[in-house]
Amino acid sequence: MNVILTINGQEFPLRIDPNERLLDTLRKLGFFSIKSGGCEHGECGACTILFDGRPVNSCTMLTAQAEGHLIQTVEAEGEHPDHGWKKTEGLSVIQQAFVEVGAIQCGYCTPAMVLTAKALLDRNPSPDEGQVRDALSGVLCRCTGYIKPVQAVLRAAAVLRGEEVLPVDGPIDVSDVLKPSIEPDDGGEPVLDGRGTLTETKILPKLKIVDPHSEMKTVGHAVTKVDAVKLVQGKPAFTADFEKRDMLYAKVLRSPHAHAEIKHIDTSRAEALPGVAAVLTWKDLPRVAYSTAGQSHPIPGPLDSFSLDHKVRFVGDRVAFVAAESVAIAEAALDLIDVEYEVLEPLLDPTKAMDSGAPVIHDEPEFVNFDESDPSRNIAAEIRIDIGDVETGFAEADRIIEGDYDVPKVQQAHIEPHVVMTYWDEDDRLVIKTSTQVPFHVRRQIAPVLDLPIKRIRVIKPRIGGGFGGKQEVLVEDVAAHLTIATGKPVQYEMTREEEFIGSRTRHPMRIHLKTGLKNDGTITANEMYCLSDTGAYGCHALTVAGNTGHKAMAIYVGDGEYRKNPNIRFYSDVVYTNTVPSGAYRGYGVPQGFWPVERHMENIAREMGMDPIKFRLKNALRSGEIHPFSKAWSEGREPKPETIYTIGLEDCVEQGRMAIDWDHKYDNPQWHSIPGKKHLRKGIGVAMVMQGTAIPYLDMGGASIKMNDDGSFNLLVGATDLGTGSDTVLAQMAAETLGVPVDDIVVYSSDTDFTPFDKGAYASSTTYISGAATVKAAEKVAERIRVRASMMFAEEGKTVKQEDINLEDRRAIAPSGEFFTLEEIGLNALHQTDQEQIMAVASHVSPVAPPPFAAQFAEVTVDVDSGMVTVDKLVMAVDSGVIINPVTASGQIEGGMAQALGYAVSEEMRYDRDGQPREKDFVDYHIFRADEMPELTTIFVETYEPSHPYGAKAVAEIPLDGVAPAVGNAILDACGVALQTIPAIPERIWRNLKGLPSEKEV
Ligand code: FES
Ligand code: FES
């Protein structure tokens, strides 16, 4: 049919399919700011447009419905202010506010948020925060925790009203800051005092947190994200935004059964459908066993996956691939593939996986065994770690307290689905453009699967719309690549939201038993954890996720006195297969699973022993200068080496957090716990103390190269993968600081396996620490060459200036006399004038240590004791992540992480019926928090100076996932006496507990 659409004031006469979605039409026309979250029911809002001035989801509208209406997209909002000789009006006020306050992380939801904000401010120029949250509630964001988007809209409203707003990188508001418990030393060198933090303690509240005394020009400052301007305009920066002539679209036929053998498969009807280019089944592909877990070589886990197999192991497992001229044709072809299954008994209960007679999920002869795996017993991995003398520790205890805890299967839920495009280039090399956290691992791991040498594969990572570990998996690249090999054509494959739930990866669910030996004074004498981890149908990250559950959560409490010197800790784990969607990497990587039981258990112990829960924890917690207990025993399947932890800001985190949440007036205060006139409501407050890791020692490697240009600017090439966290910006800040230039002069490119140095990828909270150190090393080498040339140029003028006396600052190489050459002069000289050279350097970094960040998490809740409904009112997190390189991106990480962790605490859970059919397949049944549902969030940074990093930084990305659930659980206990063992804290669980009924698992 023919229609005329009016888009951004321009008319577009079109011939369309009557069933065509408006989203697809608009993207075909090149309006790439409109994103797809892969939804079928319009849940995510990424595809929002303004329709006659109102925000609507373009994925739920037919194009035909749009004729005669006005469509607006972000393309019409504003643009870069400077296009060479053509100056523009720049970004719109709303876009500018989003850039300035750091409201953009991955940026996938940003165009939708900007349009929603515009619609609001057009009708209400003075909205309050509640109205802003209400308006933004139609757009899901998995990155920000919504604080900064809300601030951006309020800021834009103020600017539009003509009011003055403060600069973001302004002075610190220290009005509510406790006096530092340790005064800064004057030498700048870390000083161990044996009990707490190193160097100074300072507070970095929510948004603007620059130390006014700092001499740093960019490190520590709220520098705007280097990709913010592009993302706020909705530029085609994501994988799905790239197109190729003759591109085909892939779809995957997925198993309807949890466990079955494919007896017969007939693709002839599908192949005959006009527009279908290829249909592939297991018979068409080489049979190569591999692991989809994107990890360094050698993979620490079993090789138990095939691109396609004759056996399916979960509902959603792959059965066949189709490539066709359109998504609709590919989908229609799936219905024409005839498959005959022999349905096998499914194994769904991990507690029965090791029983004799249990169905065996991996009976294929090609299975490549890993040291600790035993497929005949459904064991993917096994861990047995004994530190000290655990039995003696228990024997010496005055009492032993035990407990059982459960954590659920949950989804990463990045708003951009997994998406990839593959094609042969003119040299017959396979190009894989993909939304991945691990481009170099993708290249290495996929090569044997495709029967191609690594050198004939090029992996390009564009911007990523969130990953959270879900894209640390080689999950979609092989689908498109096999189809490109089969057809010779470019192929794009993008998962739907349902596929994300039924066919990607999740957090490992676990069942955990804890046993703790205690002296009567509260000293822990021995601590033991047994963890049964469910890896689902494939053993991706099986060993390493479970290992981290113990390595971090069981390391924080070492005991006191003599026990502190030689802690007694046991961590045993069995990681078993079941016929459910595979588990994998998810931000936090096993550690949130460990801290739910550990911190709930510590709370139970403190209460049972009549001790203050904070004092009890701090009495037994690690202190600076002590050895990480697990470093002597385990290192992700490699040789362990003892590691001393020099920076622990835990006590100061507790001090600042308890003040921010007003702990001392609330805890143990019966008056505060009740609400006058509302007997059914009880308030509670809870705490949890947590630690994470920063990269994997002796293993994680990052590389960086820096090249100087003839205007004194630099290209920074990194293999590190910014998945929305702001790591490109943080790396640019460190390079800029070292080279004495503003961040604007650093052009960052990440990452492309042909052009950027190797980096193991974005995981294990390592980019700032590992890739940052590599960047600083490369920058130092470049800085040295600049000084050498400056010294030479001074000599040409008859002046003697030693290179070591030259200071790089403000784009200049400055002699002690104050005379200088600009970096532009030096760049021109180097490339065009005297003894020409390209000033550039490459460097890499591997760390011998993994200094943990620490945090105190506080939560305040209200429980409705009639219904079991829990409302989380407030979350306060005080974090020691070393020196904060960029307070805005770092606080964004904490806020967004707390929001994800809040879902883990109270609402997110993936469940299966008796046949293994998944219940949660979209954002209707699987609830992630919206802007209007969020509690008050407060982030506090307690800075320490980590001596193993050139700018004193530790990790920040994963730790916010660890403490929210136990702090909320402890607050529920405080509110109404329910000692929850299982998350999420859904009303039914609380209600059953309050009524003394058996848990839902027992009925
Ligand atoms: S609401 Fe349209 S893609 Fe999610
Ligand atoms: S910034 Fe909102 S989804 Fe990533």
Side-chain angles (χ1 to χ4, degrees):
M1 62 187 287
N2 296 317
V3 292
I4 297 175
L5 296 190
T6 309
I7 308 167
N8 298 333
Q10 200 185 331
E11 292 202 338
F12 291 81
L14 301 169
R15 186 161 180 77
I16 56 154
D17 183 319
N19 294 322
E20 199 166 306
R21 297 186 309 169
L22 185 55
L23 167 65
D24 300 324
T25 306
L26 292 171
R27 283 187 61 89
K28 263 193 260 172
L29 287 172
F31 294 98
F32 290 113
S33 68
I34 310 159
K35 306 298 182 195
S36 170
C39 317
E40 289 204 356
H41 309 109
E43 314 102 75
C44 80
C47 61
T48 298
I49 55 166
L50 295 189
F51 192 77
D52 294 333
R54 284 177 305 109
V56 300
N57 292 336
S58 58
C59 72
T60 52
M61 286 193 75
L62 293 176
T63 306
Q65 294 173 289
E67 191 169 47
H69 297 273
L70 299 178
I71 294 170
Q72 282 168 278
T73 73
V74 156
E75 276 83 357
E77 265 293 279
E79 54 189 328
H80 196 287
D82 185 349
H83 284 165
W85 52 262
K86 184 179 154 202
K87 307 299 173 212
T88 77
E89 288 181 12
L91 299 177
S92 73
V93 169
I94 297 172
Q95 287 173 313
Q96 189 63 34
F98 269 70
V99 170
E100 282 172 0
V101 307
I104 304 161
Q105 285 195 28
C106 80
Y108 202 73
C109 69
T110 304
M113 289 233 184
V114 167
L115 288 180
T116 308
K118 178 177 165 53
L120 170 70
L121 299 185
D122 282 351
R123 66 171 195 276
N124 178 4
S126 301
D128 60 25
E129 178 170 343
Q131 290 166 322
V132 172
R133 287 184 175 275
D134 214 35
L136 294 183
S137 66
V139 182
L140 293 179
C141 176
R142 192 60 158 170
C143 303
T144 61
Y146 302 103
I147 284 193
K148 290 180 171 60
V150 170
Q151 287 171 338
V153 180
L154 292 170
R155 183 180 179 88
V159 174
L160 288 167
R161 291 193 302 266
E163 294 166 16
E164 216 173 297
V165 289
L166 285 172
V168 172
D169 194 4
I172 311 174
D173 173 9
V174 289
S175 53
D176 62 349
V177 172
L178 275 180
K179 195 175 175 309
S181 56
I182 302 170
E183 292 298 329
D185 71 306
D186 52 11
E189 283 296 310
V191 178
L192 285 177
D193 72 347
R195 71 154 200 94
T197 55
L198 295 173
T199 67
E200 66 176 319
T201 301
K202 65 184 177 187
I203 293 299
L204 309 178
K206 286 180 196 167
L207 185 60
K208 43 188 195 309
I209 356 170
V210 181
D211 176 358
H213 309 300
S214 169
E215 287 174 7
M216 300 285 178
K217 290 283 172 62
T218 55
V219 165
H221 290 253
V223 170
T224 299
K225 273 185 84 198
V226 294
D227 51 358
V229 171
K230 143 173 82 190
L231 295 172
V232 84
Q233 294 176 80
K235 288 271 169 109
F238 296 91
T239 302
D241 300 338
F242 296 93
E243 291 182 337
K244 280 263 169 196
R245 200 176 299 145
D246 281 340
M247 193 159 82
L248 300 171
Y249 298 87
K251 281 281 160 191
V252 175
L253 181 66
R254 295 186 176 276
S255 169
H257 304 293
H259 199 189
E261 195 68 44
I262 296 172
K263 300 311 280 180
H264 183 69
I265 186 161
D266 180 356
T267 59
S268 54
R269 290 197 303 142
E271 282 164 24
L273 186 70
V276 170
V279 183
L280 300 177
T281 72
W282 68 275
K283 294 179 191 168
D284 302 301
L285 302 181
R287 195 159 170 77
V288 180
Y290 71 111
S291 169
T292 60
Q295 293 183 283
S296 292
H297 173 78
I299 296 282
L303 306 187
D304 58 6
S305 301
F306 304 91
S307 273
L308 289 168
D309 195 4
H310 50 75
K311 189 178 187 189
V312 286
R313 298 177 179 84
F314 65 97
V315 173
D317 207 351
R318 301 146 154 213
V319 174
F321 303 154
V322 171
E325 288 167 11
S326 71
V327 170
I329 296 171
E331 269 169 358
L334 295 185
D335 292 337
L336 300 175
I337 300 173
D338 299 306
V339 192
E340 192 188 317
Y341 296 97
E342 179 191 339
V343 177
L344 305 171
E345 184 192 348
L347 169 59
L348 300 168
D349 182 348
T351 63
K352 301 204 166 82
M354 294 180 286
D355 290 355
S356 66
V360 175
I361 295 176
H362 285 279
D363 50 3
E364 64 278 7
E366 298 88 349
F367 186 99
V368 178
N369 220 336
F370 178 64
D371 279 356
E372 292 92 351
S373 57
D374 178 359
S376 69
R377 295 177 58 220
N378 292 311
I379 297 175
E382 186 185 272
I383 300 171
R384 301 287 183 264
I385 298 172
D386 281 290
I387 299 163
D389 184 344
V390 176
E391 292 310 327
T392 301
F394 282 130
E396 290 169 0
D398 295 324
R399 60 200 294 182
I400 289 175
I401 298 179
E402 301 188 56
D404 289 291
Y405 305 87
D406 285 279
V407 287
K409 199 171 187 67
V410 291
Q411 235 276 326
Q412 295 86 346
H414 31 79
I415 305 298
E416 180 201 39
H418 284 86
V419 54
V420 60
M421 176 173 66
T422 55
Y423 56 92
W424 291 114
D425 71 8
E426 58 279 18
D427 293 316
D428 289 308
R429 294 176 74 233
L430 186 76
V431 181
I432 303 176
K433 199 169 263 202
T434 181
S435 181
T436 180
Q437 294 171 228
V438 287
F440 286 88
H441 293 338
V442 167
R443 183 179 64 164
R444 188 188 88 254
Q445 291 177 234
I446 205 174
V449 177
L450 304 177
D451 200 14
L452 276 172
I454 287 174
K455 66 186 175 192
R456 286 191 58 203
I457 299 174
R458 174 182 174 193
V459 178
I460 302 171
K461 173 219 68 85
R463 300 321 297 170
I464 307 177
F468 316 120
K471 293 175 181 170
Q472 195 198 332
E473 204 76 15
V474 189
L475 193 63
V476 288
E477 291 81 2
D478 64 316
V479 177
H482 283 306
L483 289 165
T484 286
I485 290 174
T487 61
K489 292 194 173 179
V491 174
Q492 186 197 78
Y493 174 48
E494 181 172 9
M495 278 190 164
T496 62
R497 185 55 55 189
E498 179 172 330
E499 283 181 295
E500 288 291 340
F501 279 100
I502 70 164
S504 67
R505 299 292 181 261
T506 67
R507 194 187 286 295
H508 289 73
M510 294 181 185
R511 173 160 290 190
I512 284 170
H513 181 77
L514 276 167
K515 177 178 171 186
T516 306
L518 296 133
K519 291 284 189 197
N520 285 332
D521 69 351
T523 300
I524 293 176
T525 61
N527 208 8
E528 175 183 297
M529 177 186 275
Y530 172 73
C531 159
L532 179 68
S533 174
D534 177 356
T535 191
Y538 298 100
C540 345
H541 304 268
L543 174 88
T544 42
V545 162
N548 274 286
T549 304
H551 187 274
K552 310 297 187 296
M554 287 295 281
I556 193 166
Y557 299 115
V558 289
D560 202 10
E562 286 304 302
Y563 294 98
R564 175 176 290 289
K565 291 182 193 154
N566 284 302
N568 302 313
I569 301 171
R570 174 174 291 155
F571 175 67
Y572 287 3
S573 178
D574 293 306
V575 188
V576 296
Y577 291 111
T578 58
N579 289 114
T580 55
V581 68
S583 310
Y586 180 3
R587 190 176 183 185
Y589 206 76
V591 186
Q593 291 100 309
F595 273 115
W596 165 255
V598 165
E599 281 302 286
R600 280 285 303 107
H601 192 60
M602 291 301 144
E603 186 74 17
N604 292 347
I605 291 172
R607 285 174 182 253
E608 206 173 314
M609 297 187 66
M611 292 187 70
D612 177 89
I614 289 179
K615 282 193 188 139
F616 167 68
R617 286 176 171 89
L618 288 177
K619 174 181 171 60
N620 289 290
L622 266 172
R623 293 178 188 162
S624 55
E626 292 176 346
I627 288 186
H628 188 309
F630 277 71
S631 67
K632 297 183 281 188
W634 189 82
S635 180
E636 303 223 348
R638 287 157 198 260
E639 183 67 19
K641 297 193 178 144
E643 254 179 83
T644 301
I645 305 177
Y646 290 107
T647 50
I648 301 183
L650 189 58
E651 283 187 48
D652 294 287
C653 288
V654 170
E655 203 176 342
Q656 299 297 341
R658 79 190 286 166
M659 189 193 72
I661 204 158
D662 203 9
W663 175 274
D664 295 343
H665 289 116
K666 293 173 179 169
Y667 185 76
D668 228 2
N669 173 0
Q671 252 182 331
W672 177 79
H673 285 73
S674 54
I675 299 173
K678 294 187 175 167
K679 271 190 170 163
H680 61 295
L681 297 182
R682 300 283 305 161
K683 289 181 73 59
I685 190 164
V687 65
M689 298 180 199
V690 295
M691 64 185 269
Q692 257 286 349
T694 302
I696 308 167
Y698 297 106
L699 175 64
D700 286 347
M701 198 277 261
S705 92
I706 299 180
K707 170 170 76 76
M708 188 181 192
N709 299 313
D710 38 16
D711 62 348
S713 69
F714 300 88
N715 292 101
L716 168 62
L717 273 68
V718 286
T721 312
D722 187 340
L723 56 149
T725 55
S727 67
D728 280 0
T729 308
V730 163
L731 298 180
Q733 282 179 263
M734 288 186 267
E737 189 70 54
T738 311
L739 291 163
V741 297
V743 171
D744 272 1
D745 287 0
I746 308 285
V747 181
V748 189
Y749 182 64
S750 71
S751 34
D752 179 330
T753 54
D754 268 12
F755 297 115
T756 58
F758 175 87
D759 192 290
K760 56 91 192 173
Y763 58 88
S765 291
S766 62
T767 305
T768 302
Y769 185 73
I770 295 288
S771 314
T775 300
V776 173
K777 279 186 194 173
E780 280 167 350
K781 290 184 191 175
V782 167
E784 190 180 323
R785 279 312 301 164
I786 292 171
R787 289 193 187 96
V788 167
R789 287 204 75 87
S791 171
M792 199 176 83
M793 289 162 73
F794 279 120
E796 279 173 13
E797 293 181 355
K799 297 166 191 158
T800 305
V801 182
K802 285 196 221 150
Q803 67 182 70
E804 57 269 26
D805 294 335
I806 293 172
N807 188 30
L808 300 186
E809 205 180 323
D810 295 335
R811 295 179 167 138
R812 296 177 300 178
I814 308 169
S817 64
E819 293 171 288
F820 63 85
F821 289 105
T822 65
L823 294 197
E824 184 178 5
E825 287 168 332
I826 294 169
L828 280 168
N829 183 279
L831 292 171
H832 303 281
Q833 290 169 289
T834 318
D835 286 341
Q836 286 97 318
E837 65 170 317
Q838 170 65 68
I839 295 179
M840 69 183 295
V842 62
S844 51
H845 185 71
V846 179
S847 175
V849 292
F854 289 83
Q857 176 75 58
F858 293 84
E860 197 178 300
V861 304
T862 304
V863 181
D864 182 328
V865 291
D866 287 347
S867 68
M869 181 72 194
V870 175
T871 305
V872 178
D873 302 314
K874 194 183 274 194
L875 293 173
V876 172
M877 189 172 195
V879 192
D880 156 26
S881 284
V883 169
I884 299 301
I885 306 293
N886 185 324
V888 168
T889 58
S891 55
Q893 287 289 293
I894 300 295
E895 291 154 8
M898 279 199 277
Q900 282 182 17
L902 185 60
Y904 195 47
V906 303
S907 69
E908 296 182 32
E909 183 174 22
M910 297 171 76
R911 287 162 296 173
Y912 296 82
D913 71 10
R914 284 194 179 87
D915 300 321
Q917 296 292 336
R919 198 195 120 123
E920 285 76 19
K921 298 180 186 174
D922 56 33
F923 286 140
V924 176
D925 286 327
Y926 188 89
H927 190 77
I928 68 173
F929 272 73
R930 301 188 314 240
D932 60 336
E933 298 170 324
M934 289 297 298
E936 188 184 325
L937 302 180
T938 299
T939 299
I940 299 166
F941 288 118
V942 172
E943 282 198 319
T944 58
Y945 186 91
E946 169 50 43
S948 63
H949 183 269
Y951 286 111
K954 299 192 282 186
V956 73
E958 293 184 287
I959 196 163
L961 274 289
D962 297 340
V964 172
V968 167
N970 294 338
I972 292 168
L973 176 65
D974 186 56
C976 62
V978 169
L980 211 57
Q981 293 170 297
T982 304
I983 43 174
I986 52 173
E988 186 183 349
R989 266 184 200 133
I990 310 288
W991 180 81
R992 282 186 172 281
N993 220 303
L994 282 164
K995 302 282 175 217
L997 296 168
S999 75
E1000 78 280 6
K1001 283 211 169 83
E1002 297 163 306
V1003 290

